[in-house]
Amino acid sequence: MGIPVHDVLIVGGGGAGLRAAIAIGEEFPDLSIGVVSKVYPMRSHTVSAEGGAAGVIKPNDSLDDHCYDTISGADWLADQDAVEAFVNEAPKELIQLEHWGCPWSREPDGSVAVRPFGGMKIRRTWFAADKTGFHMLHALFQTSLRYKPVVRYDEFFVTKLLVNDGRCQGVTAIEIRTGEVHAIGGKSVILCTGGAGRIFPFTTNAAIKNGDGMALAYRAGVPLKDMEFVQYHPTGLPGTGILITEAARGEGGVLLNKDGYRYLQDYELGEALPLDSPDHPRLRAMELGPRDRLSQAFVKEQERGRTIQGKYGDYVHLDLRHLGQKKIDKQIPFVRDTAKNYIGIDPVYEPIPVRPVVHYMMGGVDTDIDGATSLPGLFAAGECACVSINGANRLGSNSLTELLVFGRRAARVAAGFAIENPAVDEDAIRKQAAEEEERIRSCFLERTGGSETIADIRTDLNTTLDKGAGIYRNEGALKETCATVLELKKRFGEIQLTDRTRTFNTELQNALELEFMLDAGEALAFSAVARTESRGSHQRTDHPERNDEDFLKHSLAYRTDGEPRIDYKDVVITRWPPGERVYGKR
Ligand SMILES: Cc1cc2nc3c(=O)[nH]c(=O)nc-3n(C[C@H](O)[C@H](O)[C@H](O)COP(=O)(O)OP(=O)(O)OC[C@H]3O[C@@H](n4cnc5c(N)ncnc54)[C@H](O)[C@@H]3O)c2cc1C
């Protein structure tokens, strides 16, 4: 029997995956496109993005300003050619999205409204109230339906990349409903599988964000780049990690310690200026400093005993009361709903308890500016990729736009690759898929006598990464984390499932996801111990200074049978030589 084969096979139906599918549908109507997603596309994590998407649109802004903010925010670890391409294409993509139906919020005069966002020194974040990701994904999803060559494999879980003749030629995927393992061919394959926040215990990320695509590429020999850079968002709800969007601070919310004091004024984040003053477009507000600095300030505040102790660890207050009900309901209605529904607090009358929470992986699959990886035929875009525009610290609202710009760029190059290359060797990949099916059967479904559970290994992975690779790190703790992750990989070999059926076997899926998480965690911990400097979100208490001489470089983690091999490659500098990261004095 033949297997399904596409010209371009996209893994992931979130913002990046759907933008890529539309680009091929529009620009290469003769190519067949497959979109494989482990959840129905509208359930991808993009749907939960609230705050907005950055792009220069106002006359007081400039492309160079957006580049500079992104590069300095990244602590100079971003590739500047990629940032320039990103910033140039961002406004076109956001306007295009409106033409596809995304209802951007408006100013009273009808022009697109923009709000301030952390680390952006000028207002440039487009938004659709505080449901931006939902509206973006909806616009993309409905647009993708227009293109007949798009074949969707919803609720298919990809377990392996099929590499033949030195080229990626497809994937194996479990059809979740039946448990059947399929080979799906692709002359080129684009990974758009999102982030890996779930490797940490306390995260804003949906349960599906386990680093799948990163691990798939890593196992196929492609390095993972800058994995040590993990973004903590300063305002998550204690206990659940549910995000209170930065838009809440963008609209004027302030952070208070246990004494009701606006503590960020004690840290180097610049003074606050009135946010709604049209005469003051340049923002220097404390709460709108970059996320790494704000999360670090929380830890310092905690060390000084000025945070509030709660059932789920220490927290501070996010106070929105001065904004008033009218503004809260118009600009950030979802924040009010979230606080009311999940912790029983109405922010119109009471401050919201918040603490830093793992939010985003700056690192990911090493790609060039067009999403190409070192493995011919394999491309990556979106959060699972590291292009890199985010360097050591992503600025909030750059990610949603990144999905659009690099989803499209990767799609075009992947389409070109598919056109130029010979057909997929169906026999060869079918054979590999049969081997993968056998692995799943013997290592998981039919295995007996194993002594380990998914829950135990996952909890231990979460705990060791939190302990060693959190907001502040040091050599001793990181080395312990590295050793623990290797040990956990061994223990994973002893895993025992209780569900041996094929239909909707979520336990099997969780086991395979845990295996991906172990790979992502390994690359993270080993990259972090090797980077003996502090930069952006990677803060080493034993190496507190940034060290451009030795570390103005991307790290690359290569999988081996033992510890990963860590290598480095240069950062692309075009027009902005490395400088000090200054907030408030530009
Ligand atoms: C709560 C929250 C709020 C955010 N708010 C903002 C914001 O306001 N602005 C901003 O710029 N960024 C924001 N971000 C970040 C941004 O939303 C994400 O980085 C981005 O949406 C990721 O999109 P993606 O297309 O790369 O992946 P996702 O949207 O995560 O999609 C991944 C896709 O891959 C599929 N997939 C994964 N693994 C497999 C597998 N093994 N087999 C088959 N399919 C697979 C999934 O089914 C899914 O379709 C936010 C993130 C969170 C968590």
Side-chain angles (χ1 to χ4, degrees), residues 87-134:
V87 164
N88 278 326
E89 291 168 34
K92 291 171 221 151
E93 283 292 329
L94 296 175
I95 291 169
Q96 173 65 73
L97 210 64
E98 167 154 291
H99 295 170
W100 288 334
C102 183
W104 297 121
S105 292
R106 298 277 159 185
E107 303 287 4
D109 68 1
S111 64
V112 168
V114 282
R115 66 167 38 127
F117 237 68
M120 301 278 186
K121 296 195 189 79
I122 206 159
R123 290 159 194 259
R124 62 168 70 93
T125 298
W126 304 38
F127 56 99
D130 53 2
K131 298 188 178 73
T132 310
F134 167 81

Side-chain angles (χ1 to χ4, degrees), residues 43-328:
R43 289 178 179 267
S44 304
H45 190 74
T46 300
V47 81
S48 61
E50 299 165 31
V56 172
I57 188 75
K58 295 293 182 192
N60 63 358
D61 199 359
S62 77
L63 298 176
D64 276 6
D65 277 337
H66 191 184
C67 285
Y68 182 81
D69 286 354
T70 302
I71 291 162
S72 62
D75 224 344
W76 273 271
L77 199 72
D79 283 338
Q80 298 185 4
D81 55 346
V83 173
E84 288 194 68
F86 163 69
V87 164
N88 278 326
E89 291 168 34
K92 291 171 221 151
E93 283 292 329
L94 296 175
I95 291 169
Q96 173 65 73
L97 210 64
E98 167 154 291
H99 295 170
W100 288 334
C102 183
W104 297 121
S105 292
R106 298 277 159 185
E107 303 287 4
D109 68 1
S111 64
V112 168
V114 282
R115 66 167 38 127
F117 237 68
M120 301 278 186
K121 296 195 189 79
I122 206 159
R123 290 159 194 259
R124 62 168 70 93
T125 298
W126 304 38
F127 56 99
D130 53 2
K131 298 188 178 73
T132 310
F134 167 81
H135 288 297
M136 283 180 62
L137 195 60
H138 205 265
L140 289 167
F141 184 53
Q142 64 189 9
T143 304
S144 76
L145 300 176
R146 271 197 225 153
Y147 297 98
K148 287 275 183 307
V150 179
V151 176
R152 289 215 324 271
Y153 300 85
D154 293 345
E155 301 192 334
F156 277 61
F157 177 76
V158 172
T159 66
K160 190 174 193 280
L161 296 177
L162 301 177
V163 181
N164 180 51
D165 205 16
R167 224 179 96 197
C168 184
Q169 299 195 7
V171 303
T172 51
I174 301 175
E175 184 175 358
I176 298 171
R177 186 170 59 92
T178 61
E180 214 181 309
V181 179
H182 298 267
I184 309 175
K187 286 169 84 180
S188 47
V189 174
I190 314 179
L191 293 171
C192 300
T193 50
R198 282 277 159 172
I199 59 177
F200 285 87
F202 185 61
T203 173
T204 63
N205 283 195
I208 54 173
K209 299 192 72 170
N210 315 106
D212 302 18
M214 297 173 187
L216 289 168
Y218 187 52
R219 290 175 194 176
V222 176
L224 298 182
K225 184 161 77 192
D226 295 340
M227 286 296 282
E228 62 272 41
F229 297 100
V230 178
Q231 176 161 84
Y232 279 75
H233 193 294
T235 60
L237 292 182
T240 56
I242 292 173
L243 179 73
I244 298 297
T245 171
E246 196 157 287
R249 283 171 283 128
E251 296 298 338
V254 294
L255 288 167
L256 306 176
N257 69 13
K258 79 175 192 332
D259 306 316
Y261 174 68
R262 206 170 160 194
Y263 62 92
L264 289 174
Q265 60 194 288
D266 297 351
Y267 300 87
E268 281 178 27
L269 291 160
E271 83 222 67
L273 295 178
L275 293 174
D276 49 4
S277 158
D279 308 327
H280 244 310
R282 295 222 167 258
L283 303 165
R284 305 176 194 172
M286 307 180 276
E287 277 79 6
L288 290 173
R291 292 174 180 176
D292 55 342
R293 296 272 172 93
L294 260 63
S295 299
Q296 289 151 19
F298 173 91
V299 177
K300 297 279 178 213
E301 205 58 14
Q302 191 174 27
E303 284 166 5
R304 291 177 180 172
R306 303 204 301 194
T307 47
I308 305 156
Q309 284 173 355
K311 196 161 131 202
Y312 302 106
D314 285 10
Y315 63 87
V316 289
H317 277 138
L318 173 63
D319 195 354
L320 308 179
R321 288 174 294 184
H322 54 289
L323 302 182
Q325 179 171 347
K326 208 166 140 214
K327 186 165 182 180
I328 291 176

